[in-house]
Amino acid sequence: MTDLKTVFDAAGGMPFFENLVGAFYELVAADPVLLRLYPDKDDLGPAARRLTLFMAQYWGGPTTYSDERGHPRLRARHFPFEIGGDERDHWLVAMRGALARVQPSPEVAAEIERYINSAAEALRNK
Ligand code: HEM
């Protein structure tokens, strides 16, 4: 992004991230490769809230995630889950599916794509 707006604002603020992550978790719930990793498969609501707040904070929104959870330390927080190439790819397909559903502007979509591609690979731990 080249203007002074944060990606958070450009995307439409918190409702955008809630809708994106809501769509993402619907796809997670329907994907056994992803769902088997989740400690609480019957209630993905708290996991969805954490991802929503993390993404909102990452792109310049409120710092509620760190207020509640401390420093993200995403790699450490993902160590308990076996994330190989297959899991990484399923996560990315679900997030791309969610993006297709909520249809951000091309600029916002490109920013999110860029981040998730590198972050999902960085979180691979097997
Ligand atoms: C762009 C890549 C990713 C980001 C930004 C991300 C972000 C997050 C965040 C913020 C949490 C909550 C951490 C906490 O506060 O406890 C989380 C949890 C989790 N992530 Fe990821 N993640 C990514 C990739 C992945 C991948 C590739 C997998 C496996 C396929 C995965 C599986 C999980 C699981 C199983 C949890 C626990 C659910 C929960 O919060 O209760 N994540 N992730």
Side-chain angles (χ1 to χ4, degrees):
M1 303 245 118
T2 51
D3 64 25
L4 295 174
K5 248 185 170 186
T6 61
V7 172
F8 177 81
D9 286 334
M14 201 54 89
F16 169 78
F17 290 96
E18 286 165 353
N19 290 337
L20 176 67
V21 174
F24 172 75
Y25 269 99
E26 274 181 35
L27 295 168
V28 169
D31 182 340
V33 171
L34 294 175
L35 192 59
R36 68 163 185 241
L37 298 173
Y38 282 80
D40 193 352
K41 296 167 188 35
D42 297 328
D43 186 8
L44 296 172
R49 182 165 186 276
R50 290 190 277 273
L51 182 58
T52 300
L53 292 177
F54 170 80
M55 288 186 132
Q57 171 175 306
Y58 181 84
W59 276 296
T63 58
T64 316
Y65 177 85
S66 283
D67 296 344
E68 291 186 0
R69 307 283 294 159
H71 190 282
R73 300 183 299 112
L74 283 191
R75 211 173 137 68
R77 289 196 208 267
H78 285 78
F79 279 148
F81 318 116
E82 284 201 0
I83 303 177
D86 201 28
E87 288 77 13
R88 174 203 59 201
D89 289 346
H90 279 249
W91 195 102
L92 286 170
V93 165
M95 187 53 80
R96 290 193 193 112
L99 279 169
R101 211 180 297 171
V102 298
Q103 301 199 318
S105 69
E107 292 81 8
V108 167
E111 181 68 30
I112 294 176
E113 267 289 336
R114 190 153 51 105
Y115 172 72
I116 62 174
N117 287 330
S118 67
E121 169 58 19
L123 294 176
R124 198 160 57 80
N125 54 28
K126 71 161 209 225

